[in-house]
């Protein structure tokens, strides 16, 4: 089901709450479909006598799995409670069923680089319980009158379309949505030699962890003799190295079953004799409890032998303060793959077109000669279960001091491809890889597997130690953009103005500038300035000459000039004006130094010469067949104006101004040039 995030932004929590309180009504959310078969939708006050948003604060025991929600979501919600700062960002605590209660609640969920506020009403799906009571169908709290967890689940269901969308899913996606973090997967078969170090460091950085074991294809959620559930997810919330008799030590890991029951029965379980080997003081220190609450301890060896992989969600330091003070160094870049521009795929022929990023690693990890990096490539999705196959490739730059910061060429990539480090391409929302690199400078190239597949992405790189990163784009020897304000202060009646390219443009300007100026003065009147309507009229006169009579040969030559010819080709019959109201206003804003919304004659002359310059560049780069500028050539054409535009901006301009065939008419090219200039000046 398609997400309705764009509609959610129209739902302002404070406004809705204020309006409902003023009217004495309870909020009913028309953007959430009440589509659970057989459910009775009730508000908490109709389910229990004394509903509370929180009862004694939030804990991991507040989340009990219901009928449909998978353990992947329950584990993520339970893990979230273990970081109070982050938890209360996702679940704002200034909410209740008494003070300013209007039947509306809000939650913050992270989506591709930004937090989105999702509001819901508090109608929840229920079924008949014992003695005529009503019970929640999905997530519920261990305390019957606590409702933050079922309301958070409803907000998450709204984000993705319905409760039905939550019947299956992935812990890593839910944790990214709840934290804005990056999730890596660590396999346990075979177990990594530094597994203990990875788990301890992750907990020190307040990372969230979830561990899994494979399902039994013949029996769903089969319980093993040791009490573990196959095809099930468990959270890891603590590790402890304990001293045992004989001078030995044992690394223990504490896990939790989101069901709140069914625990490990092996060594170091609640009833295990192994606990007799450590002191009571140590038991107290580690918070040992022997309740049947789904939480248990097991040794690192048993842990690695019984489970298959861990998903670890690392938080970025720019998001929230972490009590331990140990954080990752992190870098974030938003990018886009656009067909013909930056969607090169994983083929050598087009690979160099993909966005490229340069990272410098100078400092090695503690006690090693290498630098740990975790790279995550996340694609912005339109639907939850449809993904491109994505990955990334890293090239080490052997002599970075001699290289410019321009994208790697097709020749360089071809010569160095065998020595590059590539991730496996996966059809997932996010592809994450942990690696260890030697200190140096690297170029990371994110891509889809197939060329010309379009989409937006977020590239994130975490490193143990300090690092620097930038987009690998701008060429240092490209001439600096000419500043419009500087041009406006020069002598504008100079016939050899450097902004005019080509002898034809100069010749036409010499012959006809005076006539255009006279018409400008006529339109401007006594104030000697024109607004957008006046500019529209002057440009139409200058480019078509339709308002001039009794012209001589020279004048006729101007009116049938290359500019007029260009517009006869690229203007559609239905357009009554050459430039639209919006386009004229944009041109005025480009040169309107005094912010009057109008142009003086001097300012208009600068604009006119720029239009001639842009037209010359446009025609130079147009194709012969359709006399239109292909979108793939837009960057090259804009570079001829003195500007090297970044990939993201080129992609945005192509999507905004190209027609369905990926081409631009001249007025579209003018708007692209104006946007670039307005952004630069």
């Amino acid at each position: 089901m398609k997400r309705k995030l764009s509609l959610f932004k129209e739902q302002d929590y404070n406004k809705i709450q204020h309006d409902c309180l003023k009217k004495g009504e309870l909020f009913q959310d028309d953007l959430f479909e009440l589509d659970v078969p057989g459910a009775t939708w009730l508000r908490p006050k109709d389910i229990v006598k004394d509903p509370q948003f929180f009862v004694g604060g939030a804990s991991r025991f507040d989340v009990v799995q219901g009928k449909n929600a998978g353990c992947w979501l329950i584990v993520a919600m339970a893990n979230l409670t273990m970081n109070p700062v982050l938890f209360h960002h996702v679940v704002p605590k200034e909410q209740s069923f008494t003070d300013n209660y209007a039947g509306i609640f809000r939650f913050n969920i992270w989506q591709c680089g930004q937090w989105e506020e999702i509001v819901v009403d508090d109608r929840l799906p229920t079924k008949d319980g014992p003695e005529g009571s009503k019970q929640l169908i999905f997530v519920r709290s261990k305390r019957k009158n606590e409702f933050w967890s079922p309301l958070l689940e409803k907000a998450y269901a709204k984000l993705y379309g319905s409760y039905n969308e939550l019947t299956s899913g992935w812990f890593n996606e839910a944790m990214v949505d709840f934290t804005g973090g990056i999730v890596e997967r660590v396999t346990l078969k075979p177990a990594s030699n530094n597994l203990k170090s990875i788990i301890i460091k992750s907990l020190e950085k307040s990372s969230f962890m979830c561990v899994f074991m494979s399902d039994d294809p013949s029996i769903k959620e089969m319980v093993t003799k040791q009490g573990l559930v196959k095809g099930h997810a468990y959270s890891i919330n603590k590790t402890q190295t304990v001293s045992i008799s004989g001078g030995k030590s044992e690394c223990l890991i504490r896990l939790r079953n989101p069901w709140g029951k069914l625990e490990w029965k092996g060594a170091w379980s609640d009833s295990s004799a192994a606990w007799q080997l450590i002191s009571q003081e140590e038991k107290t220190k580690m918070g040992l409890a022997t309740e049947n609450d789904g939480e248990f301890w097991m040794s690192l060896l048993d842990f690695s032998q019984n489970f298959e992989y861990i998903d670890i969600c690392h938080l970025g330091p720019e998001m929230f303060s972490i009590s331990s003070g140990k954080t990752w160094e992190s870098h974030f870049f938003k990018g886009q793959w656009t067909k013909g521009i930056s969607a090169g795929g994983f083929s050598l022929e087009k690979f160099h077109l993909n966005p490229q990023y340069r990272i410098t690693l100078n400092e090695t990890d503690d006690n090693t000669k290498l630098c740990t990096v975790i790279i995550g490539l996340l694609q912005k999705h339109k639907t939850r279960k449809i993904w491109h196959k994505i990955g990334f490739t890293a090239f080490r730059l052997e002599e970075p001091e001699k290289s410019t910061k321009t994208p790697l060429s097709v020749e360089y990539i071809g010569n160095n491809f065998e020595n590059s480090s590539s991730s496996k391409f996966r059809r997932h929302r996010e592809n994450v890889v942990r690696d260890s690199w030697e200190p140096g400078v690297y170029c990371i190239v994110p891509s889809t597997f197939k060329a010309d597949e379009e989409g937006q992405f977020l590239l994130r790189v975490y490193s143990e130690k300090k690092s620097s990163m930038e987009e690998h784009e701008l060429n240092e020897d490209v001439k600096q953009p000419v500043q419009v304000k500087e041009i406006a202060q020069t002598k504008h009646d100079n016939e050899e103005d450097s902004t005019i390219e080509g002898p034809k443009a100069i010749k036409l300007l010499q012959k006809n500038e005076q006539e255009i100026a006279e018409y400008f003065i006529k339109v401007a009147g006594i104030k000697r300035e024109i607004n957008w309507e006046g500019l529209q009229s002057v440009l139409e006169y200058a480019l078509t000459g339709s308002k001039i009579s009794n012209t001589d040969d020279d004048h006729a030559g101007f009116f049938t000039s290359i500019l007029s010819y260009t517009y006869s080709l690229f203007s559609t019959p239905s357009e009554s004006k050459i430039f639209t109201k919006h386009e004229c206003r944009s041109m005025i804003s480009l040169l309107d130094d005094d912010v009057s919304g109008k142009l003086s004659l001097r300012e208009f002359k600068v604009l006119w010469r720029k239009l001639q310059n842009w037209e010359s560049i446009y025609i130079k780069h147009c194709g012969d067949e359709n006399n239109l500028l292909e979108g793939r050539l837009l960057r090259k054409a804009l570079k001829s104006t003195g500007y090297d535009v970044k990939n993201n901006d080129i992609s945005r301009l192509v999507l905004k101004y190209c027609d369905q065939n990926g081409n631009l008419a001249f007025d579209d090219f003018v708007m692209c040039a104006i946007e670039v200039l307005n952004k630069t000046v």
Side-chain angles (χ1 to χ4, degrees), residues 437-454:
W437 293 348
E438 294 180 355
V441 181
Y442 297 81
C443 180
I444 300 173
V445 185
S447 71
T448 58
F449 187 71
K450 294 181 179 180
D452 297 330
E453 288 186 325
E454 297 188 314

PDB file of all heavy atoms in Angstrom, residues 437-454:
ATOM      1  N   TRP A 437      39.674  -0.738   6.875  1.00  0.00           N
ATOM      2  CA  TRP A 437      40.516  -0.204   5.812  1.00  0.00           C
ATOM      3  C   TRP A 437      41.800   0.357   6.391  1.00  0.00           C
ATOM      4  O   TRP A 437      41.838   0.825   7.532  1.00  0.00           O
ATOM      5  CB  TRP A 437      39.789   0.918   5.058  1.00  0.00           C
ATOM      6  CG  TRP A 437      38.606   0.461   4.265  1.00  0.00           C
ATOM      7  CD1 TRP A 437      38.257  -0.820   3.971  1.00  0.00           C
ATOM      8  CD2 TRP A 437      37.609   1.297   3.670  1.00  0.00           C
ATOM      9  NE1 TRP A 437      37.105  -0.849   3.218  1.00  0.00           N
ATOM     10  CE2 TRP A 437      36.689   0.446   3.014  1.00  0.00           C
ATOM     11  CE3 TRP A 437      37.402   2.666   3.611  1.00  0.00           C
ATOM     12  CZ2 TRP A 437      35.595   0.933   2.319  1.00  0.00           C
ATOM     13  CZ3 TRP A 437      36.311   3.155   2.930  1.00  0.00           C
ATOM     14  CH2 TRP A 437      35.413   2.297   2.279  1.00  0.00           C
ATOM     15  N   GLU A 438      42.827   0.341   5.575  1.00  0.00           N
ATOM     16  CA  GLU A 438      44.063   1.018   5.944  1.00  0.00           C
ATOM     17  C   GLU A 438      43.831   2.525   5.908  1.00  0.00           C
ATOM     18  O   GLU A 438      42.981   3.010   5.160  1.00  0.00           O
ATOM     19  CB  GLU A 438      45.183   0.638   4.976  1.00  0.00           C
ATOM     20  CG  GLU A 438      45.589  -0.831   5.040  1.00  0.00           C
ATOM     21  CD  GLU A 438      46.705  -1.145   4.058  1.00  0.00           C
ATOM     22  OE1 GLU A 438      47.078  -0.234   3.280  1.00  0.00           O
ATOM     23  OE2 GLU A 438      47.187  -2.289   4.070  1.00  0.00           O
ATOM     24  N   PRO A 439      44.577   3.281   6.703  1.00  0.00           N
ATOM     25  CA  PRO A 439      44.433   4.743   6.636  1.00  0.00           C
ATOM     26  C   PRO A 439      44.680   5.235   5.209  1.00  0.00           C
ATOM     27  O   PRO A 439      45.517   4.695   4.487  1.00  0.00           O
ATOM     28  CB  PRO A 439      45.526   5.245   7.585  1.00  0.00           C
ATOM     29  CG  PRO A 439      45.770   4.108   8.525  1.00  0.00           C
ATOM     30  CD  PRO A 439      45.569   2.859   7.720  1.00  0.00           C
ATOM     31  N   GLY A 440      43.949   6.244   4.801  1.00  0.00           N
ATOM     32  CA  GLY A 440      44.107   6.764   3.446  1.00  0.00           C
ATOM     33  C   GLY A 440      42.873   7.494   2.980  1.00  0.00           C
ATOM     34  O   GLY A 440      41.965   7.796   3.762  1.00  0.00           O
ATOM     35  N   VAL A 441      42.825   7.756   1.672  1.00  0.00           N
ATOM     36  CA  VAL A 441      41.699   8.461   1.049  1.00  0.00           C
ATOM     37  C   VAL A 441      40.993   7.497   0.104  1.00  0.00           C
ATOM     38  O   VAL A 441      41.635   6.815  -0.700  1.00  0.00           O
ATOM     39  CB  VAL A 441      42.181   9.702   0.274  1.00  0.00           C
ATOM     40  CG1 VAL A 441      41.005  10.438  -0.354  1.00  0.00           C
ATOM     41  CG2 VAL A 441      42.949  10.640   1.200  1.00  0.00           C
ATOM     42  N   TYR A 442      39.674   7.448   0.218  1.00  0.00           N
ATOM     43  CA  TYR A 442      38.878   6.502  -0.575  1.00  0.00           C
ATOM     44  C   TYR A 442      37.739   7.251  -1.269  1.00  0.00           C
ATOM     45  O   TYR A 442      37.253   8.276  -0.777  1.00  0.00           O
ATOM     46  CB  TYR A 442      38.289   5.410   0.326  1.00  0.00           C
ATOM     47  CG  TYR A 442      39.333   4.539   0.995  1.00  0.00           C
ATOM     48  CD1 TYR A 442      39.982   4.970   2.151  1.00  0.00           C
ATOM     49  CD2 TYR A 442      39.674   3.292   0.468  1.00  0.00           C
ATOM     50  CE1 TYR A 442      40.942   4.181   2.768  1.00  0.00           C
ATOM     51  CE2 TYR A 442      40.631   2.493   1.083  1.00  0.00           C
ATOM     52  CZ  TYR A 442      41.266   2.948   2.231  1.00  0.00           C
ATOM     53  OH  TYR A 442      42.226   2.161   2.827  1.00  0.00           O
ATOM     54  N   CYS A 443      37.314   6.710  -2.387  1.00  0.00           N
ATOM     55  CA  CYS A 443      36.147   7.235  -3.103  1.00  0.00           C
ATOM     56  C   CYS A 443      35.052   6.170  -3.063  1.00  0.00           C
ATOM     57  O   CYS A 443      35.251   5.047  -3.529  1.00  0.00           O
ATOM     58  CB  CYS A 443      36.496   7.577  -4.544  1.00  0.00           C
ATOM     59  SG  CYS A 443      35.094   8.241  -5.480  1.00  0.00           S
ATOM     60  N   ILE A 444      33.914   6.507  -2.468  1.00  0.00           N
ATOM     61  CA  ILE A 444      32.783   5.580  -2.340  1.00  0.00           C
ATOM     62  C   ILE A 444      31.750   5.927  -3.407  1.00  0.00           C
ATOM     63  O   ILE A 444      31.321   7.081  -3.524  1.00  0.00           O
ATOM     64  CB  ILE A 444      32.154   5.664  -0.941  1.00  0.00           C
ATOM     65  CG1 ILE A 444      33.196   5.306   0.127  1.00  0.00           C
ATOM     66  CG2 ILE A 444      30.947   4.735  -0.833  1.00  0.00           C
ATOM     67  CD1 ILE A 444      32.705   5.518   1.545  1.00  0.00           C
ATOM     68  N   VAL A 445      31.344   4.916  -4.184  1.00  0.00           N
ATOM     69  CA  VAL A 445      30.402   5.123  -5.282  1.00  0.00           C
ATOM     70  C   VAL A 445      29.144   4.278  -5.034  1.00  0.00           C
ATOM     71  O   VAL A 445      29.157   3.066  -5.234  1.00  0.00           O
ATOM     72  CB  VAL A 445      31.024   4.737  -6.637  1.00  0.00           C
ATOM     73  CG1 VAL A 445      30.074   5.080  -7.776  1.00  0.00           C
ATOM     74  CG2 VAL A 445      32.373   5.423  -6.837  1.00  0.00           C
ATOM     75  N   PRO A 446      28.039   4.880  -4.585  1.00  0.00           N
ATOM     76  CA  PRO A 446      26.781   4.137  -4.411  1.00  0.00           C
ATOM     77  C   PRO A 446      26.066   3.987  -5.749  1.00  0.00           C
ATOM     78  O   PRO A 446      26.066   4.908  -6.569  1.00  0.00           O
ATOM     79  CB  PRO A 446      25.984   5.021  -3.454  1.00  0.00           C
ATOM     80  CG  PRO A 446      26.484   6.405  -3.719  1.00  0.00           C
ATOM     81  CD  PRO A 446      27.921   6.272  -4.134  1.00  0.00           C
ATOM     82  N   SER A 447      25.445   2.830  -5.967  1.00  0.00           N
ATOM     83  CA  SER A 447      24.764   2.629  -7.251  1.00  0.00           C
ATOM     84  C   SER A 447      23.668   1.580  -7.125  1.00  0.00           C
ATOM     85  O   SER A 447      23.658   0.779  -6.194  1.00  0.00           O
ATOM     86  CB  SER A 447      25.761   2.188  -8.330  1.00  0.00           C
ATOM     87  OG  SER A 447      26.206   0.863  -8.098  1.00  0.00           O
ATOM     88  N   THR A 448      22.764   1.596  -8.091  1.00  0.00           N
ATOM     89  CA  THR A 448      21.857   0.477  -8.288  1.00  0.00           C
ATOM     90  C   THR A 448      22.612  -0.576  -9.103  1.00  0.00           C
ATOM     91  O   THR A 448      23.677  -0.291  -9.652  1.00  0.00           O
ATOM     92  CB  THR A 448      20.596   0.913  -9.047  1.00  0.00           C
ATOM     93  OG1 THR A 448      20.998   1.473 -10.314  1.00  0.00           O
ATOM     94  CG2 THR A 448      19.823   1.957  -8.265  1.00  0.00           C
ATOM     95  N   PHE A 449      22.064  -1.788  -9.170  1.00  0.00           N
ATOM     96  CA  PHE A 449      22.747  -2.823  -9.951  1.00  0.00           C
ATOM     97  C   PHE A 449      22.526  -2.588 -11.453  1.00  0.00           C
ATOM     98  O   PHE A 449      23.445  -2.708 -12.255  1.00  0.00           O
ATOM     99  CB  PHE A 449      22.245  -4.213  -9.560  1.00  0.00           C
ATOM    100  CG  PHE A 449      23.025  -5.329 -10.192  1.00  0.00           C
ATOM    101  CD1 PHE A 449      24.322  -5.603  -9.801  1.00  0.00           C
ATOM    102  CD2 PHE A 449      22.464  -6.094 -11.202  1.00  0.00           C
ATOM    103  CE1 PHE A 449      25.058  -6.626 -10.392  1.00  0.00           C
ATOM    104  CE2 PHE A 449      23.180  -7.117 -11.808  1.00  0.00           C
ATOM    105  CZ  PHE A 449      24.481  -7.379 -11.387  1.00  0.00           C
ATOM    106  N   LYS A 450      21.299  -2.208 -11.809  1.00  0.00           N
ATOM    107  CA  LYS A 450      20.982  -1.933 -13.208  1.00  0.00           C
ATOM    108  C   LYS A 450      21.104  -0.438 -13.482  1.00  0.00           C
ATOM    109  O   LYS A 450      20.730   0.390 -12.646  1.00  0.00           O
ATOM    110  CB  LYS A 450      19.561  -2.403 -13.545  1.00  0.00           C
ATOM    111  CG  LYS A 450      19.371  -3.907 -13.479  1.00  0.00           C
ATOM    112  CD  LYS A 450      17.943  -4.267 -13.866  1.00  0.00           C
ATOM    113  CE  LYS A 450      17.721  -5.775 -13.826  1.00  0.00           C
ATOM    114  NZ  LYS A 450      16.315  -6.133 -14.196  1.00  0.00           N
ATOM    115  N   ALA A 451      21.617  -0.099 -14.650  1.00  0.00           N
ATOM    116  CA  ALA A 451      21.721   1.308 -15.040  1.00  0.00           C
ATOM    117  C   ALA A 451      20.333   1.889 -15.293  1.00  0.00           C
ATOM    118  O   ALA A 451      19.378   1.163 -15.612  1.00  0.00           O
ATOM    119  CB  ALA A 451      22.585   1.438 -16.294  1.00  0.00           C
ATOM    120  N   ASP A 452      20.206   3.185 -15.132  1.00  0.00           N
ATOM    121  CA  ASP A 452      18.994   3.960 -15.434  1.00  0.00           C
ATOM    122  C   ASP A 452      17.842   3.700 -14.475  1.00  0.00           C
ATOM    123  O   ASP A 452      16.709   4.103 -14.757  1.00  0.00           O
ATOM    124  CB  ASP A 452      18.531   3.725 -16.877  1.00  0.00           C
ATOM    125  CG  ASP A 452      19.551   4.200 -17.895  1.00  0.00           C
ATOM    126  OD1 ASP A 452      20.282   5.163 -17.582  1.00  0.00           O
ATOM    127  OD2 ASP A 452      19.627   3.614 -18.992  1.00  0.00           O
ATOM    128  N   GLU A 453      18.105   3.039 -13.331  1.00  0.00           N
ATOM    129  CA  GLU A 453      17.064   2.902 -12.304  1.00  0.00           C
ATOM    130  C   GLU A 453      17.119   4.153 -11.426  1.00  0.00           C
ATOM    131  O   GLU A 453      18.164   4.498 -10.884  1.00  0.00           O
ATOM    132  CB  GLU A 453      17.277   1.646 -11.471  1.00  0.00           C
ATOM    133  CG  GLU A 453      16.966   0.380 -12.227  1.00  0.00           C
ATOM    134  CD  GLU A 453      17.042  -0.857 -11.351  1.00  0.00           C
ATOM    135  OE1 GLU A 453      17.898  -0.903 -10.447  1.00  0.00           O
ATOM    136  OE2 GLU A 453      16.237  -1.794 -11.565  1.00  0.00           O
ATOM    137  N   GLU A 454      15.986   4.819 -11.287  1.00  0.00           N
ATOM    138  CA  GLU A 454      15.946   6.106 -10.604  1.00  0.00           C
ATOM    139  C   GLU A 454      15.506   5.964  -9.155  1.00  0.00           C
ATOM    140  O   GLU A 454      14.759   5.055  -8.796  1.00  0.00           O
ATOM    141  CB  GLU A 454      15.010   7.063 -11.342  1.00  0.00           C
ATOM    142  CG  GLU A 454      15.476   7.400 -12.755  1.00  0.00           C
ATOM    143  CD  GLU A 454      14.653   8.490 -13.398  1.00  0.00           C
ATOM    144  OE1 GLU A 454      13.411   8.418 -13.316  1.00  0.00           O
ATOM    145  OE2 GLU A 454      15.256   9.421 -13.967  1.00  0.00           O
TER     146      GLU A 454
END
